[in-house]
Structures are given as structure tokens and as C-alpha cells.
Amino acid sequence: MRWSHLSAQPGDGSLPDRAAPAAPPLPLALPGATVRRFDTPGFAGMTFYEIHAKSLINRVPGASRVPFEWTVNPYRGCSHACTYCLAGDTPILLADGSTRPLAQIRPGDAVMGTMGAGAHRRCVPTTVLDHWETSKPAFRVTLADGTRLVASGDHRFLTDRGWRHVSPAEPHQPALAVGDLMFGVGHFAEPPKESPDYQSGFVCGLIRGDASGSGVAVEGDAWVRADAYLDDVSLTEAVRWPELPSSDWFRGFLAGAFGAVGRTDRLAVVLESTDVGYLRWIVHALTHLGLVARGPGPVRPGATGRVETERHLDAALRFRHLTGASMGPLDASGVGVRGERRLAVADIEELGLTLPLFDISTGTGDFIADGVVSHNCFARKTHTYLDLDAGHDFDSRVLVKVNAGELIRRELADPRWAGAPIAMGTNVDVYQRAEGRYRLMPEILAALRDHANPFSILTKGTLILRDLDLLRQAAEVTRVGLAVSVGFVDETVWRSAEPGTPSPGRRLQVVRRLTDAGFAVNVLMAPILPGLTDTDESIDETVAAIAAAGAVGVTPLALHLRPGAREWFASWIGREHPHLRPRYRELYGNGSYLPRAYQDEIAARVRMATRRHGLHRPAAPVGDHRPAGDAPAARPVHDQLTLL
């Protein structure tokens, strides 16, 4: 099997003497793997595949655009990211205006998402990219209109204060609060039950509408339904006007009336007839169901009268869902959604239960769940080489090389190993949350120390401080390069673009702690986002904060969009910053890298900022283990990092 080189039985020797990819392809099902799940809230919904790997030190392919040759990755997948999920019976708005329970949604389904920002957010059709199930502690969010949503604490809803987590696990994450106004279209109506009253109403609406002679084309499916209903209801009884019509009768009547005399005009439902009495019954039915009816007004004898609903998305959806009428697909693309008082959060309640919950990823990064805009996980196709799905699996199914410490000692001791520098954290963060449980890095660091093998670590995590003593010991016998990734200090951009990572402020605290411990810490200013964090103000603010934290140098790395990353990042830009879409199309075209001239410009502006703030020596790139004082001459950096 093409991934069989990865796992091995204990005692199977191997050496890193071949050019192996730094991130070899992996499947979900690994023979001999120990599968674990933990009850700790921070790991809820995650699965860890513990394997005995054949090798740990991997050679980077020569074609890779990185300034290092060897890497160590004890993990595949990353627990930095969050998962967001809802109860399986939550109705999801499909692109055609119908709904389906979240548990029944499947990849490839067309659902309704949104794009834009604030009051300018608008509906757009989008495709479901992935669907998964997990188990998490559940919360119930109740809105002013009575809507009740069961979700995990991680789940985010769009409010008038931006995206808010129901009950965030991290203190830096914005939390939903009572009084927040959710964005959306309002609670979806329950579909009608085809009771005898509904069936009688349907037949009445259809037959009487057809008899009105309005000239509207008859909906064929409506007559098929009526034929089936007449097996259970009497035609003679059905066409009589009831003395005390029920809600079911009104729902069926409007569905039948639409089949006979109805049509849609964008969002409005229009019903036309020459029978004024029939039109009044339509008005009565709409009003009874809480829909505003316009018309019919005065109608001359023999003329056609008209009744229509309001022309907004809530009314269009409510008519469809309440009546169950046979209608064509809803044309809602471009329709605005906004926060409303009836969607105010009235209560947030922890249920004290761990429930099966579901989530999807979509092209827009969101979807409409029971009438409110709901966030989902991005599908990161940059990791499909793992044979794991690109979204949830990468975040929740982490492969752990539990024999990493033993393996690296064996490989470092082999006579064929020349003691080349090893770079860590360049693909998957070695100090992700899972490291707090598995503690693989202390053994790896101890082995590198004992063999005096030079190494570097790049991280966004704060857990590196746990191993500070080991890092000090290693630095006494070999070159140790430490770098922290801080692309920008704007917390609004960070919450939107990198919500699963420690905040820029916490990462800068790591820089300060490592600096105070005697390390020359470099900062990779990565990724710099065109149009968002590449302004002189943003660059200057970020470099100033990096200098204040004690870093010895800065390496600017602009955003790199490999195939796969391009698709979801385009969705994110379109959703959060639609005005930047033309600029990104122009800058990236059909490639992964920014134009060389643009990279040179960024490097020059960062270089000017470093001089202003006393960081005029450029940082050595990752994998360059020379002391900071021996840094190479200033040059633009073209080996870029991805956003993730």
C-alpha cells in the first residue's frame, strides 16, 4: 500500500537515507494503530491514531521551496483548530428554499450561505464540501421568537457584534451573550402534516381555483396530489367552505390555491382569480397563518383580482414551509440578511449532556440553520495528501507517532546520519494542544541534546515554554534556532482568519519569555495578507510589537495560496472582505505566489520598519542555524508560508 512505509512493528529498522516527502500520504484506517478518544473538554470530538512509525527524520524533496533539508513531524493533523456543531434535527436552508435536517445533509448538496459583511450580508447558494458527526457537551440557545438551537460551546453564530461562540473554551474567544441580535431570516416554520383537514383544504383550494377561470396555468403536480387525497376525503365535502376551518385546513387550502392560481414573482407569492370570494378566503388563510396579504382591493365584475404576500425572504420561506405547496426553486440569491430584534438571544443554557452533534463545511464558510447564520469549519484542501478529509478530519483526527523519542535516538545514532540541522514545526505545529497530553517533544529534544544535533523550532503555540529547561540544555551543546510566527497584531483579523491559534499577544509573550531565557528569537511575520495586513500602519504596528517583545529579527512572509487553499481562502475573502476579491484575482492569477515585485515591496517596507524599531538585522530563515550576529545580508524572502 502506498502509505505502508509510514507505520511499522516495533523493531523494524529503517534509516532516513532516501528523499521522502516531509508529509507522506496517510489513510484514516491504519493497521495496528491504537485509536483513542479523551473525555477532556479540550479534546472532545477528537480521535487520536497512535502508531509506531518506521522513521521520524524526513528529507524534504529537492523541488520544495524551503531553506532546510530535514524535518521532524511527530504529528499529522493539528488540534489547534476548533470544531463547530449543531443538533442533527436542526433544519438547514437548501438553495431551492426547502429545508433538510442537518444530520441528513450530504457533500454536494446545494445549501444557502451568505457573503458580505454587517448590514450588507447577502444570501448566495453554496455547495456542501464535507459532513461529519461528533459528540460534544451541548448547550441550548433560545431566541426572542422562540427559536431553540442546540449546539456545542465551540459553535459560532453571526450577531450584530460579529461571530460569537456559544460558550468558548478559550478566554480570548468572543462569547455569545443574552441580548445579542443574531443575523438571519427567522425561525423556519414546521412543515404541514397531511391530515384529513389539510387534504380537504388542498382539494378545495385547487378545485375552486380552477373553477374561477383565471387563466393561470395549472400546476400538474397539484392534480396528482389531489387525486391521491381523494382516496381519503370526499370531493363533495372537500369543496364546501368549512364553518370553523383549522390551521391544517388553511395550510392545505393555500397549497391547493397556489397549484391552481398561484405563481412566484421573485420573493412574492401571487394568487390571481376572477372570484372575489375565493380571493377573500385566500386573504383569510394568509392572515390566520401570520402572513401579510396585500389585495385584492376593488375588483370589477369579470376582472381578475390579485393577492400577494410581502416581498421579503422571511415571507417567501414561511409560505413555502407552512403550506407545503409544490413550487419551483426559490430565487433568493443576493437577498440581504440582517440582525433583528426578534432574533435577540434570550437565554443560553448548558444542558449537562454530551449529545451527538453534526456539522458541515461549505464554499462560503457558513450556512443558515433554523433561520440564523451559522459558522462552519473551513475545508483545508491543502492537507488532502493525508488521505484524511480536508476539513474536520485534519482538525479532529490526529496521527501520533508515539515511538518518536525512541525512533529519533536510533536515527541520530546511526553512522550514516551526518548531523544535519533539523527543522521542526514547519508543516504541523509540534506544540499543538495534543502535545500537552502526549509529551513527545521532551524526548525528541533530549535526544537532539544528547547527540548535539542542531535544530530549529517554529511554533504558534505557547506550550514550548514547558520545555524551556531542555531548550537551554540543548543550546549549551549545539545551535538551537527558535522562531515564533506572528503575522500581524490586529486581533479582529486574527479572530476571523486564525481563530484556532493563540492570540498574537500570547505569542509575543512567548517571544519575551524565550528572550529573557537567553535565546535569540526570530519572528516569522507570516502570513502577511494583501489588503488587510500589508499596509504601512499594520506593518509598523506589528514590527513595533515584535521589537518590544525582544525578538532579534523579523522575516516577512507573504500569503502563499497553494491549490486547495485558494478555494477556501477565496470563500473567506468573499465572505469577510468582498471588496478585495478583484485584487486577489489580480495578484494571484492562476498561481500560488504573489508577483516578485509585490514581495520585494513588502520586504522593503518591513525592512524600513525594522530599522525604525531597532531590528535592522534581518532574521535568519527557518533552518539557518547561524547565530543572529551572523545573519545573511538583507534579501527578499520568497519561500512563503500558507495561512494555516
Side-chain angles (χ1 to χ4, degrees):
M1 304 177 81
R2 66 185 179 91
W3 42 264
S4 60
H5 71 277
L6 181 77
S7 58
Q9 299 301 319
D12 178 23
S14 95
L15 288 171
D17 56 358
R18 67 192 184 286
L26 307 175
L28 281 180
L30 290 166
T34 299
V35 182
R36 296 192 190 278
R37 289 191 172 188
F38 303 112
D39 295 331
T40 309
F43 296 108
M46 297 191 66
T47 302
F48 294 88
Y49 297 85
E50 300 175 359
I51 69 159
H52 284 77
K54 279 187 175 182
S55 64
L56 191 70
I57 303 175
N58 287 321
R59 185 193 294 273
V60 178
S64 297
R65 300 179 64 179
V66 291
F68 47 86
E69 187 179 2
W70 298 94
T71 66
V72 162
N73 291 297
Y75 300 96
R76 289 289 185 266
C78 186
S79 55
H80 270 325
C82 299
T83 55
Y84 314 97
C85 32
L86 291 164
D89 60 355
T90 306
I92 305 304
L93 183 62
L94 303 185
D96 64 3
S98 62
T99 67
R100 189 183 304 161
L102 177 56
Q104 298 177 20
I105 298 292
R106 293 292 179 265
D109 287 343
V111 299
M112 194 67 74
T114 72
M115 295 184 72
H120 303 291
R121 188 171 291 271
R122 298 187 178 279
C123 292
V124 292
T126 186
T127 302
V128 175
L129 304 175
D130 198 8
H131 178 274
W132 60 88
E133 178 181 1
T134 186
S135 294
K136 288 181 124 5
F139 294 77
R140 180 164 53 218
V141 179
T142 303
L143 307 185
D145 70 350
T147 301
R148 292 186 174 184
L149 297 142
V150 175
S152 70
D154 293 330
H155 197 80
R156 285 191 285 173
F157 293 105
L158 184 63
T159 74
D160 56 335
R161 296 192 299 140
W163 292 103
R164 298 279 149 174
H165 296 263
V166 172
S167 180
E170 300 290 339
H172 62 268
Q173 294 174 329
L176 192 67
V178 172
D180 284 346
L181 301 184
M182 286 197 182
F183 272 57
V185 296
H187 175 61
F188 297 146
E190 293 290 332
K193 297 180 176 62
E194 295 194 350
S195 64
D197 273 4
Y198 178 88
Q199 294 175 340
S200 293
F202 186 94
V203 172
C204 181
L206 183 67
I207 299 296
R208 285 187 173 272
D210 182 56
S212 71
S214 63
V216 177
V218 173
E219 173 66 51
D221 182 61
W223 288 97
V224 173
R225 290 176 65 180
D227 285 341
Y229 293 161
L230 288 173
D231 291 338
D232 300 314
V233 300
S234 164
L235 176 60
T236 303
E237 293 296 323
V239 296
R240 292 177 180 171
W241 295 118
E243 293 184 6
L244 295 173
S246 65
S247 290
D248 280 358
W249 187 92
F250 280 128
R251 291 185 182 209
F253 173 73
L254 288 174
F258 183 85
V261 301
R263 59 183 175 85
T264 57
D265 183 5
R266 183 67 160 151
L267 296 179
V269 176
V270 179
L271 302 111
E272 297 176 325
S273 173
T274 58
D275 186 339
V276 177
Y278 178 70
L279 292 175
R280 287 174 181 158
W281 272 97
I282 290 174
V283 171
H284 186 25
L286 290 169
T287 303
H288 178 85
L289 297 177
L291 290 163
V292 175
R294 295 175 174 170
V299 180
R300 296 190 306 273
T304 300
R306 170 180 173 136
V307 175
E308 66 177 58
T309 62
E310 292 179 296
R311 293 176 176 267
H312 57 72
L313 184 56
D314 183 24
L317 292 173
R318 191 166 178 79
F319 183 91
R320 286 171 176 265
H321 299 163
L322 280 171
T323 67
S326 300
M327 307 174 72
L330 176 67
D331 180 12
S333 183
V335 175
V337 292
R338 53 188 56 86
E340 297 190 25
R341 179 55 53 188
R342 62 197 171 97
L343 301 182
V345 177
D347 189 34
I348 304 171
E349 176 187 4
E350 186 172 3
L351 296 181
L353 299 170
T354 297
L355 298 177
L357 301 173
F358 298 80
D359 201 3
I360 57 177
S361 63
T362 70
T364 59
D366 66 359
F367 55 96
I368 299 178
D370 206 2
V372 295
V373 180
S374 177
H375 194 278
N376 68 206
C377 288
F378 291 118
R380 283 159 297 188
K381 294 184 180 178
T382 52
H383 297 281
T384 52
Y385 52 66
L386 297 175
D387 282 352
L388 305 172
D389 77 56
H392 180 67
D393 282 346
F394 179 78
D395 297 339
S396 65
R397 298 176 185 262
V398 178
L399 190 110
V400 185
K401 301 176 184 178
V402 292
N403 63 332
E406 168 195 344
L407 203 54
I408 195 168
R409 282 191 179 277
R410 189 176 77 213
E411 293 177 338
L412 292 174
D414 190 275
R416 287 175 290 177
W417 176 249
I422 293 173
M424 292 180 283
T426 57
N427 181 41
V428 172
D429 200 332
V430 294
Y431 283 108
Q432 59 177 283
R433 283 185 294 131
E435 170 60 19
R437 176 171 289 273
Y438 282 99
R439 299 182 63 87
L440 300 182
M441 284 302 294
E443 293 184 63
I444 293 172
L445 294 177
L448 291 165
R449 174 202 63 194
D450 294 346
H451 287 271
N453 200 104
F455 65 89
S456 67
I457 299 174
L458 167 64
T459 184
K460 291 182 179 180
T462 58
L463 193 57
I464 189 174
L465 297 177
R466 179 202 63 192
D467 296 338
L468 193 51
D469 287 343
L470 277 169
L471 292 170
R472 284 196 188 103
Q473 294 167 19
E476 292 176 359
V477 297
T478 190
R479 292 190 297 273
V480 175
L482 300 181
V484 178
S485 174
V486 184
F488 41 82
V489 294
D490 187 322
E491 295 218 349
T492 301
V493 176
W494 161 70
R495 287 191 182 98
S496 177
E498 299 181 333
T501 62
S503 69
R506 292 176 66 197
R507 287 182 244 169
L508 290 170
Q509 290 173 11
V510 171
V511 174
R512 170 50 62 192
R513 288 280 304 278
L514 293 174
T515 299
D516 291 345
F519 288 94
V521 183
N522 293 311
V523 170
L524 269 71
M525 196 167 160
I528 297 174
L529 307 178
L532 294 173
T533 63
D534 63 343
T535 64
D536 287 338
E537 293 78 11
S538 177
I539 289 173
D540 190 77
E541 183 182 12
T542 303
V543 171
I546 292 169
V552 298
V554 177
T555 299
L557 299 175
L559 178 66
H560 167 208
L561 293 176
R562 290 176 291 182
R566 293 171 61 89
E567 288 78 11
W568 76 256
F569 191 81
S571 297
W572 181 80
I573 282 290
R575 184 177 67 257
E576 301 293 336
H577 307 283
H579 63 287
L580 291 177
R581 293 182 70 186
R583 183 175 182 184
Y584 273 77
R585 282 195 294 266
E586 178 184 356
L587 286 173
Y588 287 93
N590 296 319
S592 299
Y593 294 89
L594 286 164
R596 179 62 62 90
Y598 190 89
Q599 295 183 53
D600 290 345
E601 179 187 344
I602 287 178
R605 286 195 277 138
V606 172
R607 187 163 56 247
M608 292 172 63
T610 61
R611 287 172 177 163
R612 285 194 298 271
H613 296 286
L615 289 173
H616 58 281
R617 283 187 179 275
V622 177
D624 189 329
H625 301 268
R626 288 170 290 188
D630 297 329
R635 62 177 177 82
V637 177
H638 302 296
D639 299 311
Q640 306 172 26
L641 298 183
T642 65
L643 181 63
L644 296 178

mmCIF file of all heavy atoms in Angstrom, residues 336-358:
data_model
loop_
_atom_site.group_PDB
_atom_site.id
_atom_site.type_symbol
_atom_site.label_atom_id
_atom_site.label_comp_id
_atom_site.label_asym_id
_atom_site.label_seq_id
_atom_site.Cartn_x
_atom_site.Cartn_y
_atom_site.Cartn_z
ATOM 1 N N GLY A 336 -30.695 40.291 1.085
ATOM 2 C CA GLY A 336 -29.994 40.660 2.297
ATOM 3 C C GLY A 336 -30.495 39.936 3.533
ATOM 4 O O GLY A 336 -31.669 39.575 3.624
ATOM 5 N N VAL A 337 -29.596 39.707 4.489
ATOM 6 C CA VAL A 337 -29.962 39.207 5.816
ATOM 7 C C VAL A 337 -29.344 40.156 6.832
ATOM 8 O O VAL A 337 -28.258 40.682 6.627
ATOM 9 C CB VAL A 337 -29.464 37.768 6.058
ATOM 10 C CG1 VAL A 337 -30.203 36.788 5.183
ATOM 11 C CG2 VAL A 337 -27.971 37.648 5.834
ATOM 12 N N ARG A 338 -30.047 40.372 7.934
ATOM 13 C CA ARG A 338 -29.545 41.311 8.933
ATOM 14 C C ARG A 338 -30.042 40.922 10.311
ATOM 15 O O ARG A 338 -30.900 40.054 10.457
ATOM 16 C CB ARG A 338 -30.005 42.727 8.585
ATOM 17 C CG ARG A 338 -31.503 42.867 8.367
ATOM 18 C CD ARG A 338 -31.864 44.244 7.848
ATOM 19 N NE ARG A 338 -31.152 44.564 6.640
ATOM 20 C CZ ARG A 338 -31.581 44.207 5.433
ATOM 21 N NH1 ARG A 338 -32.695 43.509 5.281
ATOM 22 N NH2 ARG A 338 -30.880 44.518 4.367
ATOM 23 N N GLY A 339 -29.496 41.569 11.327
ATOM 24 C CA GLY A 339 -29.912 41.303 12.695
ATOM 25 C C GLY A 339 -31.260 41.940 12.986
ATOM 26 O O GLY A 339 -31.526 43.066 12.576
ATOM 27 N N GLU A 340 -32.120 41.205 13.683
ATOM 28 C CA GLU A 340 -33.448 41.718 14.019
ATOM 29 C C GLU A 340 -33.751 41.464 15.483
ATOM 30 O O GLU A 340 -33.247 40.506 16.084
ATOM 31 C CB GLU A 340 -34.507 41.047 13.134
ATOM 32 C CG GLU A 340 -34.337 41.352 11.648
ATOM 33 C CD GLU A 340 -35.531 40.875 10.830
ATOM 34 O OE1 GLU A 340 -36.625 40.770 11.410
ATOM 35 O OE2 GLU A 340 -35.345 40.603 9.635
ATOM 36 N N ARG A 341 -34.616 42.308 16.062
ATOM 37 C CA ARG A 341 -34.942 42.209 17.473
ATOM 38 C C ARG A 341 -35.555 40.861 17.819
ATOM 39 O O ARG A 341 -35.297 40.314 18.892
ATOM 40 C CB ARG A 341 -35.894 43.361 17.843
ATOM 41 C CG ARG A 341 -36.352 43.372 19.292
ATOM 42 C CD ARG A 341 -35.196 43.377 20.265
ATOM 43 N NE ARG A 341 -34.229 44.448 20.020
ATOM 44 C CZ ARG A 341 -33.070 44.554 20.652
ATOM 45 N NH1 ARG A 341 -32.717 43.609 21.511
ATOM 46 N NH2 ARG A 341 -32.248 45.544 20.386
ATOM 47 N N ARG A 342 -36.357 40.294 16.920
ATOM 48 C CA ARG A 342 -36.980 39.005 17.221
ATOM 49 C C ARG A 342 -35.970 37.874 17.261
ATOM 50 O O ARG A 342 -36.259 36.782 17.744
ATOM 51 C CB ARG A 342 -38.067 38.681 16.194
ATOM 52 C CG ARG A 342 -37.571 38.540 14.777
ATOM 53 C CD ARG A 342 -38.708 38.633 13.767
ATOM 54 N NE ARG A 342 -38.204 38.699 12.404
ATOM 55 C CZ ARG A 342 -38.102 37.667 11.602
ATOM 56 N NH1 ARG A 342 -38.469 36.477 12.033
ATOM 57 N NH2 ARG A 342 -37.642 37.801 10.381
ATOM 58 N N LEU A 343 -34.742 38.123 16.757
ATOM 59 C CA LEU A 343 -33.688 37.126 16.802
ATOM 60 C C LEU A 343 -32.698 37.406 17.927
ATOM 61 O O LEU A 343 -31.580 36.893 17.925
ATOM 62 C CB LEU A 343 -32.957 37.069 15.462
ATOM 63 C CG LEU A 343 -33.808 36.729 14.233
ATOM 64 C CD1 LEU A 343 -32.950 36.653 12.980
ATOM 65 C CD2 LEU A 343 -34.557 35.422 14.443
ATOM 66 N N ALA A 344 -33.102 38.221 18.902
ATOM 67 C CA ALA A 344 -32.236 38.503 20.042
ATOM 68 C C ALA A 344 -32.089 37.254 20.909
ATOM 69 O O ALA A 344 -33.041 36.484 21.090
ATOM 70 C CB ALA A 344 -32.809 39.651 20.872
ATOM 71 N N VAL A 345 -30.903 37.043 21.448
ATOM 72 C CA VAL A 345 -30.653 35.905 22.329
ATOM 73 C C VAL A 345 -31.348 36.142 23.661
ATOM 74 O O VAL A 345 -31.083 37.135 24.347
ATOM 75 C CB VAL A 345 -29.145 35.698 22.548
ATOM 76 C CG1 VAL A 345 -28.897 34.553 23.529
ATOM 77 C CG2 VAL A 345 -28.448 35.417 21.222
ATOM 78 N N ALA A 346 -32.237 35.223 24.028
ATOM 79 C CA ALA A 346 -32.979 35.343 25.281
ATOM 80 C C ALA A 346 -32.366 34.503 26.391
ATOM 81 O O ALA A 346 -32.490 34.850 27.573
ATOM 82 C CB ALA A 346 -34.439 34.935 25.072
ATOM 83 N N ASP A 347 -31.716 33.391 26.040
ATOM 84 C CA ASP A 347 -31.170 32.522 27.072
ATOM 85 C C ASP A 347 -30.100 31.617 26.466
ATOM 86 O O ASP A 347 -30.201 31.220 25.297
ATOM 87 C CB ASP A 347 -32.278 31.661 27.695
ATOM 88 C CG ASP A 347 -31.804 30.890 28.919
ATOM 89 O OD1 ASP A 347 -30.955 31.416 29.654
ATOM 90 O OD2 ASP A 347 -32.278 29.758 29.131
ATOM 91 N N ILE A 348 -29.067 31.310 27.241
ATOM 92 C CA ILE A 348 -28.027 30.344 26.871
ATOM 93 C C ILE A 348 -27.917 29.376 28.035
ATOM 94 O O ILE A 348 -27.559 29.761 29.146
ATOM 95 C CB ILE A 348 -26.670 31.028 26.610
ATOM 96 C CG1 ILE A 348 -26.811 32.107 25.531
ATOM 97 C CG2 ILE A 348 -25.619 29.999 26.195
ATOM 98 C CD1 ILE A 348 -25.579 32.975 25.378
ATOM 99 N N GLU A 349 -28.223 28.110 27.793
ATOM 100 C CA GLU A 349 -28.338 27.127 28.875
ATOM 101 C C GLU A 349 -27.443 25.932 28.597
ATOM 102 O O GLU A 349 -27.498 25.335 27.527
ATOM 103 C CB GLU A 349 -29.798 26.672 28.972
ATOM 104 C CG GLU A 349 -30.045 25.584 29.986
ATOM 105 C CD GLU A 349 -31.472 25.050 29.921
ATOM 106 O OE1 GLU A 349 -32.235 25.487 29.030
ATOM 107 O OE2 GLU A 349 -31.804 24.200 30.754
ATOM 108 N N GLU A 350 -26.598 25.586 29.574
ATOM 109 C CA GLU A 350 -25.805 24.368 29.470
ATOM 110 C C GLU A 350 -26.690 23.186 29.841
ATOM 111 O O GLU A 350 -27.268 23.152 30.928
ATOM 112 C CB GLU A 350 -24.599 24.434 30.394
ATOM 113 C CG GLU A 350 -23.659 23.263 30.236
ATOM 114 C CD GLU A 350 -22.372 23.422 31.020
ATOM 115 O OE1 GLU A 350 -22.239 24.434 31.746
ATOM 116 O OE2 GLU A 350 -21.503 22.537 30.904
ATOM 117 N N LEU A 351 -26.813 22.212 28.948
ATOM 118 C CA LEU A 351 -27.745 21.110 29.162
ATOM 119 C C LEU A 351 -27.191 20.033 30.095
ATOM 120 O O LEU A 351 -27.952 19.204 30.603
ATOM 121 C CB LEU A 351 -28.112 20.472 27.820
ATOM 122 C CG LEU A 351 -28.869 21.382 26.840
ATOM 123 C CD1 LEU A 351 -29.199 20.620 25.570
ATOM 124 C CD2 LEU A 351 -30.137 21.930 27.477
ATOM 125 N N GLY A 352 -25.880 20.006 30.304
ATOM 126 C CA GLY A 352 -25.306 18.978 31.150
ATOM 127 C C GLY A 352 -25.287 17.611 30.496
ATOM 128 O O GLY A 352 -25.206 16.594 31.178
ATOM 129 N N LEU A 353 -25.387 17.580 29.156
ATOM 130 C CA LEU A 353 -25.424 16.330 28.414
ATOM 131 C C LEU A 353 -24.400 16.370 27.285
ATOM 132 O O LEU A 353 -24.166 17.426 26.690
ATOM 133 C CB LEU A 353 -26.813 16.095 27.805
ATOM 134 C CG LEU A 353 -27.998 15.979 28.758
ATOM 135 C CD1 LEU A 353 -29.295 16.003 27.971
ATOM 136 C CD2 LEU A 353 -27.894 14.693 29.577
ATOM 137 N N THR A 354 -23.815 15.229 26.997
ATOM 138 C CA THR A 354 -22.994 15.081 25.798
ATOM 139 C C THR A 354 -23.856 14.424 24.736
ATOM 140 O O THR A 354 -24.335 13.305 24.923
ATOM 141 C CB THR A 354 -21.746 14.238 26.078
ATOM 142 O OG1 THR A 354 -20.936 14.924 27.042
ATOM 143 C CG2 THR A 354 -20.937 14.026 24.810
ATOM 144 N N LEU A 355 -24.079 15.124 23.639
ATOM 145 C CA LEU A 355 -25.017 14.669 22.621
ATOM 146 C C LEU A 355 -24.313 14.461 21.285
ATOM 147 O O LEU A 355 -23.286 15.095 21.013
ATOM 148 C CB LEU A 355 -26.135 15.707 22.444
ATOM 149 C CG LEU A 355 -27.022 15.993 23.658
ATOM 150 C CD1 LEU A 355 -28.023 17.088 23.317
ATOM 151 C CD2 LEU A 355 -27.751 14.733 24.100
ATOM 152 N N PRO A 356 -24.879 13.610 20.433
ATOM 153 C CA PRO A 356 -24.371 13.525 19.055
ATOM 154 C C PRO A 356 -24.705 14.807 18.306
ATOM 155 O O PRO A 356 -25.869 15.220 18.258
ATOM 156 C CB PRO A 356 -25.104 12.310 18.473
ATOM 157 C CG PRO A 356 -26.329 12.150 19.316
ATOM 158 C CD PRO A 356 -25.970 12.642 20.685
ATOM 159 N N LEU A 357 -23.700 15.457 17.755
ATOM 160 C CA LEU A 357 -23.870 16.717 17.041
ATOM 161 C C LEU A 357 -23.250 16.588 15.652
ATOM 162 O O LEU A 357 -22.427 15.708 15.403
ATOM 163 C CB LEU A 357 -23.223 17.865 17.817
ATOM 164 C CG LEU A 357 -23.760 18.106 19.232
ATOM 165 C CD1 LEU A 357 -22.913 19.153 19.956
ATOM 166 C CD2 LEU A 357 -25.218 18.541 19.211
ATOM 167 N N PHE A 358 -23.637 17.486 14.759
ATOM 168 C CA PHE A 358 -23.228 17.398 13.362
ATOM 169 C C PHE A 358 -22.737 18.758 12.882
ATOM 170 O O PHE A 358 -23.094 19.794 13.443
ATOM 171 C CB PHE A 358 -24.401 16.950 12.474
ATOM 172 C CG PHE A 358 -24.933 15.584 12.821
ATOM 173 C CD1 PHE A 358 -25.799 15.405 13.884
ATOM 174 C CD2 PHE A 358 -24.552 14.472 12.080
ATOM 175 C CE1 PHE A 358 -26.288 14.155 14.209
ATOM 176 C CE2 PHE A 358 -25.031 13.213 12.404
ATOM 177 C CZ PHE A 358 -25.900 13.053 13.466
#
